[in-house]
Structures are given as C-alpha cells and as structure tokens.
Amino acid sequence: MSDPVYDVAIVGYGPAGQVAAGLLGQRGLKVYVCDRLKDVYQIPRAISLDHEIMRVFQQLGVADAIEPFTEPFSNSEYFGVDGQLIRRMTMLPPPYPQGYTPSVVFTQPPVERALRARVAQMPNVTVELGAEMKHLAHDDAQVVLTIQRDGASRTVRAKYAIGCDGGASPVRTQLGIALDDLDFDEPWLVVDVLVNERGMAKLPKVSVQYCEPQRPCTLVLGPKNHRRWEISLMPGEDPKAFESDAQTWKQLSRWIGPEDGELWRQASYRFHALVARDWRQGRVFLAGDAAHMQPPFLGQGMCQGIRDAANLSWKLAAVLAGDVQGGAGEALLDSYGQERRAHVRELTSRIKEIGAVICERDEATARARDAKLLADGGGEVRDTPRQDILPRLEAGLLSTNASTGRGALFPQPWLRTDRELLRMDEMFGHGWRLVLSAALAHTVEHAVEQGEGGEPGFAGLRTIRLACTPEAEGVVAGWMQRHGCVAALVRPDHYVYGVARDAEGIGALVEEAAAALGLTLACTT
C-alpha cells in the first residue's frame, strides 16, 4: 500500500506553522506537519501581537482561548539624551477597527499550546513531533520529504510544501534561496524577568525606549508581572559574558535587583534585517522566520509570520479546491511572494527608522535627533499610533484601479442583529466579501450579475449590505468616507482587492476580480 499524498506538508510547527496548519485544515485539506522539537518552546520569544493577528485567531476559533494570556500594550515613551520625552507611541482610540484591542502583549507558550490544541481537533491534519526533515525534493507534480524520527526514516509526499522552520531554515538552505541583507546587524541582550510586588513598585508604568547613546535599551511591559529588557551591546563586548546571572543583574541594576524578581530568560542575539530573495520555488514556499527576520522595535516578528500563513493558506486552498485553475492558479500562488516580500521589506524599512531613533550612539547626532522630533511636533510630543506604521499591500492580487483603500486591511465592524452584536466575520465568514455602504439602497440594481439567492458576483462571494445589517460603531462608514468609496471587495485574508467609488463601478470591480481568479460570474437562468 502506497503512502498517502497530502495536500500540503509543513516543516516547522512554531506560530507560523501552527496557523498555516489550522487555516488549511479548517478548509478540509489533508495536511502533514513535522517539527524536530517535541513540545512548544517553553521560553517566550515574541511578546506582542496586533488586532490583525487576533482576527486570524478569531478565524481559527481560538481568540477566546488566547485572550487570557494577553493584555493591552501600554504606551511606549521615548526618552532622549538628557532624559527628556521625545516621542510617544500609543494605541489607536476606540472604536477599534478590527474588533479587537489594536496592540497586545502576550505570553507565547500558552498561546502556542492553544493553537496546537485547535489543530489537534482536526482529523485531516497529521502532526509529527520529534521528527526532523532531512531532505526535500520537488518536481512539477509533488514534493517529497525525507523525515527522520527516533532513528528511522520515511518518506512524506505532498502536492505543496511550506517551510516554516525558522531563521536557520533547512528548507530554505536546501532550496539554495539567498537572503537579502537590509543593513541592520546589532548585538543585544534580551532579558525576561518575573517581577515581584516590590520590584513592580520600582518600575515605570509604561513601556520605555531609552534612546541614550551610551547604551540604548528598551523596557517592555508584558502580561501580569512579566517585564522584558532589550539592552544594546557595545562594540567589543562579549555577548555570552552578558548572559551570566551576575552580568545580567548588573545591567538591570538601574531598575531592579535580584531581590525584586526571578530571571526567566537572558540571551544574547544579533538583531538582523533579512528578507528571502525568493519566497517560492516550484511547489515549495517559505513563511515566517524562514522568509524574513527584522529588528524587534515594533514587535512585528511573529505578526509577520502569521500574515504570511494567512496570505498563503487561502491561496493554496483555492488552487487545491479547483476554485482557480491553470494560469490563474499559478498567478495566484505567485502573488504570495509578490505581496508579502514587498510588505515585509517596507515594514522592515520603517522598523529600521524606529531603530535608528533608538540606537543612535553619537551624542551630537542624538541631540539633533531629539531636537528634530520635538520640532516636528511643534515643540510638543504628539501621540503616534503604532498601527499607523503598518503599510498596505502595493503589489499582487489587487485591482488595477488605484485607490487609497486598495491593499489596505479592511475593518471588522460590530454588526447589529435582532438579539446581539456580532463581529462581521462571525456573521459572514472569511471568504471573498463585497461590502456595500449603508449609503446605498438595499439592492444595487443591475450593478452586477445576480447569482443564487440574489447575491451579486462570483461563486463563493458573500455580499454584506450595511443598510440591511447595520454596524454599531461606524468604523466601515468612516473607512469608506476616508477612502472615497461606497463598496469594497475584500479578500479572504481581509485585505481589500479594490473599491468602487459609486454604485455603477461595483460590477466592473467584481468582474475584474473574477477574471483575475479565472472565474465566471454566477448568474440565474
């Protein structure tokens, strides 16, 4: 009896691999996952998430299980050479556009366990832990993995494979894919402390960036009593020497001492800015740290990997289900790398700019930086919401008609029903959605072809008429007003394919998307 052929094989079962396995499994695909570790990594590495990622967790059905391990991210205050406040990064004010707190801190191990528990509920997903991928081969028809576990080797075959196997990625290495260096390479000491009540009383009540030339550092307020320091190491300093308890407490002595808490982790890292040159080779894709690494200054590392998984999963599912075929299917899969590579590079450049503010070591230049930041705010420190830093998609599966809304992450409003408020995705799912402004009539006559149930568009497209299902807080109304449109065509990953400025443009928008996907418009006979 021959071995089964999986739809997708995933190498690496960290956050990106967990989300990819869950999203693909949720769509009914036969998925194989392997990881050389037998359990989640017990020490926290990532510490922050944003509302886009919580929306993905909602889609997986784990948001409620994860929320107990999260807390709202505090403000981040930046202090300059002379200890003066020079910048403040904040939360977006309510109403929250994605239906969740825009920025949160979290404890990674229990969040990963919740994701794995959700995947374990899916009988179509096979997870093999303590299993290492030793060799990968692929051709036009399949991917073949050699898996070694407990000294024995076996072969796993799949139609596609995803390397979610971390920064050292054996998948990327075996494919011979190079990393582009975006010119950031600095040694830092990262310290996690479980602080006791006495220590908590000594510490700031917000996260702090100490933009001091002699030793830039960061203090992040994690959930409950978890506090993280990221401390820059100077040229010539031995990173490993700083990992000793004595040296670590010496670095923390400005804030707390050994009597104030328990060291959870201390590790030296080189913060890099690296992006894979290619994100796809034939039937194999890269995602997460295998595809990119960025400095931690905006806490986007894990978020980026989950965005990869969300972007790629719906596209693979569409191709494997036959929803798109031939040239349209190949173009759809190619759009993954086009979209995510450009997005990661742009966000990394913005993170580097933030890092440059923090890491300037020349005192005169740092003083000039402080003066400029204050001058840019008219002499005041103005709040900068963290989410304002995130870019849109600029290339890939997007309408050819440019607009400020195209490529943006579409809001998830709270919608009113007869009995309760529900988030939009809870009511209408996570496929293609055509969202029509409440300013339009209940029906848009002849705007698009009518399919089953009177729904406009192509098979699988849901129409959300906000005139019929009103929103509670006006986030979509405000979004459409800002972007000058009355309708938005939203992809399964919640990014906007394109918008229509008036009712007459809706039909052309839907037709363009259907053509790009190789689909025909549904119509009644």
Side-chain angles (χ1 to χ4, degrees):
M1 184 175 178
S2 61
D3 291 333
V5 176
Y6 294 91
D7 291 310
V8 182
I10 300 170
V11 180
Y13 202 39
Q18 292 156 14
V19 170
L23 292 175
L24 291 165
Q26 200 173 46
R27 289 175 176 265
L29 299 177
K30 190 172 184 177
V31 179
Y32 170 84
V33 191
C34 68
D35 195 286
R36 61 183 181 83
L37 299 179
K38 294 186 177 182
D39 198 357
V40 300
Y41 194 67
Q42 299 302 313
I43 301 298
R45 289 171 288 185
I47 197 171
S48 66
L49 298 170
D50 63 29
H51 52 185
E52 179 182 359
I53 306 312
M54 289 303 299
R55 190 173 180 181
V56 175
F57 291 162
Q58 174 195 328
Q59 181 173 344
L60 282 169
V62 297
D64 289 344
I66 281 170
E67 281 197 293
F69 307 107
T70 69
E71 289 182 10
F73 207 129
S74 66
N75 289 345
S76 294
E77 295 186 344
Y78 291 59
F79 291 93
V81 176
D82 297 315
Q84 75 276 37
L85 183 66
I86 57 174
R87 185 179 198 175
R88 182 186 298 110
M89 300 196 78
T90 61
M91 194 87 73
L92 286 168
Y96 294 147
Q98 298 297 319
Y100 290 93
T101 303
S103 298
V104 299
V105 288
F106 77 109
T107 305
Q108 186 172 351
V111 167
E112 287 201 46
R113 282 194 284 270
L115 287 167
R116 291 188 178 195
R118 176 69 184 99
V119 174
Q121 296 171 351
M122 302 176 181
N124 49 314
V125 180
T126 298
V127 178
E128 194 171 8
L129 300 177
E132 186 173 2
M133 188 279 294
K134 302 298 288 186
H135 184 261
L136 176 150
H138 62 104
D139 56 29
D140 292 342
Q142 65 179 348
V143 182
V144 180
L145 305 177
T146 301
I147 305 297
Q148 187 174 84
R149 182 183 182 190
D150 297 331
S153 294
R154 70 185 188 92
T155 296
V156 171
R157 302 177 186 276
K159 297 171 185 174
Y160 294 96
I162 311 173
C164 300
D165 50 344
S169 181
V171 171
R172 188 189 67 235
T173 300
Q174 290 192 33
L175 294 176
I177 294 176
L179 292 170
D180 286 335
D181 190 337
L182 304 187
D183 192 25
F184 192 95
D185 181 10
E186 294 202 6
W188 288 67
L189 177 70
V190 179
V191 183
D192 291 286
V193 182
L194 297 176
V195 183
N196 61 30
E197 187 174 350
R198 171 178 170 169
M200 295 284 277
K202 298 179 180 180
L203 294 175
K205 306 306 179 187
V206 298
S207 298
V208 180
Q209 303 282 1
Y210 298 92
C211 308
E212 301 167 351
Q214 62 271 29
R215 192 178 295 281
C217 60
T218 299
L219 168 61
V220 179
L221 275 58
K224 299 183 174 64
N225 64 331
H226 176 196
R227 298 295 180 265
R228 170 171 292 180
W229 282 263
E230 295 167 353
I231 301 170
S232 176
L233 302 182
M234 307 305 285
E237 292 180 329
D238 179 7
K240 289 300 178 184
F242 278 77
E243 294 180 10
S244 70
D245 287 4
Q247 272 288 354
T248 297
W249 281 119
K250 181 178 179 181
Q251 296 305 314
L252 297 183
S253 61
R254 172 178 180 174
W255 299 276
I256 58 173
E259 69 280 4
D260 297 317
E262 174 189 352
L263 292 175
W264 192 1
R265 172 188 71 153
Q266 64 262 43
S268 57
Y269 291 94
R270 295 199 74 88
F271 292 164
H272 294 292
L274 303 169
V275 179
R277 196 163 296 170
D278 300 304
W279 290 46
R280 176 189 186 188
Q281 191 176 110
R283 291 179 168 266
V284 186
F285 301 83
L286 300 179
D289 287 355
H292 49 77
M293 286 167 274
Q294 52 269 307
F297 303 117
L298 203 59
Q300 283 290 308
M302 180 168 153
C303 295
Q304 291 284 60
I306 292 175
R307 287 189 190 101
D308 297 343
N311 185 301
L312 179 57
S313 294
W314 77 263
K315 295 173 180 177
L316 279 172
V319 170
L320 286 162
D323 294 342
V324 292
Q325 300 178 19
E330 287 303 306
L332 182 60
L333 294 179
D334 282 340
S335 74
Y336 163 67
Q338 294 166 3
E339 292 171 1
R340 293 299 305 137
R341 180 172 55 245
H343 189 273
V344 166
R345 290 181 73 99
E346 176 59 28
L347 182 54
T348 300
S349 72
R350 298 181 186 190
I351 291 171
K352 282 178 56 184
E353 290 175 4
I354 293 172
V357 170
I358 299 167
C359 298
E360 181 55 60
R361 290 189 169 93
D362 180 80
E363 184 171 329
T365 305
R367 289 186 185 281
R369 169 206 64 199
D370 296 351
K372 183 178 187 306
L373 285 172
L374 292 171
D376 288 347
E380 300 178 0
V381 176
R382 296 181 180 175
D383 293 350
T384 302
R386 289 185 185 90
Q387 271 59 46
D388 286 356
I389 303 296
L390 301 181
R392 302 178 304 170
L393 297 181
E394 297 289 353
L397 184 68
L398 300 172
S399 171
T400 57
N401 295 316
S403 67
T404 57
R406 181 189 67 180
L409 182 65
F410 193 73
Q412 179 181 211
W414 287 92
L415 301 178
R416 297 186 185 278
T417 71
D418 293 338
R419 291 173 295 181
E420 59 184 338
L421 295 178
L422 290 174
R423 295 181 179 94
M424 182 179 77
D425 298 351
E426 294 173 309
M427 289 186 67
F428 293 97
H430 314 94
W432 283 88
R433 289 145 291 170
L434 177 64
V435 184
L436 304 180
S437 165
L440 294 174
H442 286 212
T443 57
V444 183
E445 295 293 340
H446 309 300
V448 289
E449 298 282 350
Q450 298 296 308
E452 292 182 8
E455 295 295 331
F458 48 80
L461 173 64
R462 301 289 301 274
T463 301
I464 302 172
R465 305 175 189 275
L466 295 178
C468 300
T469 311
E471 56 174 327
E473 298 173 316
V475 296
V476 171
W479 188 92
M480 289 190 173
Q481 183 177 27
R482 289 194 301 277
H483 295 293
C485 62
V486 298
L489 184 56
V490 184
R491 307 182 335 175
D493 57 3
H494 316 306
Y495 282 84
V496 176
Y497 172 82
V499 302
R501 301 186 186 280
D502 51 42
E504 289 71 27
I506 296 173
L509 175 65
V510 173
E511 289 171 1
E512 182 189 19
L517 294 168
L519 304 176
T520 56
L521 291 181
C523 59
T524 57
T525 56

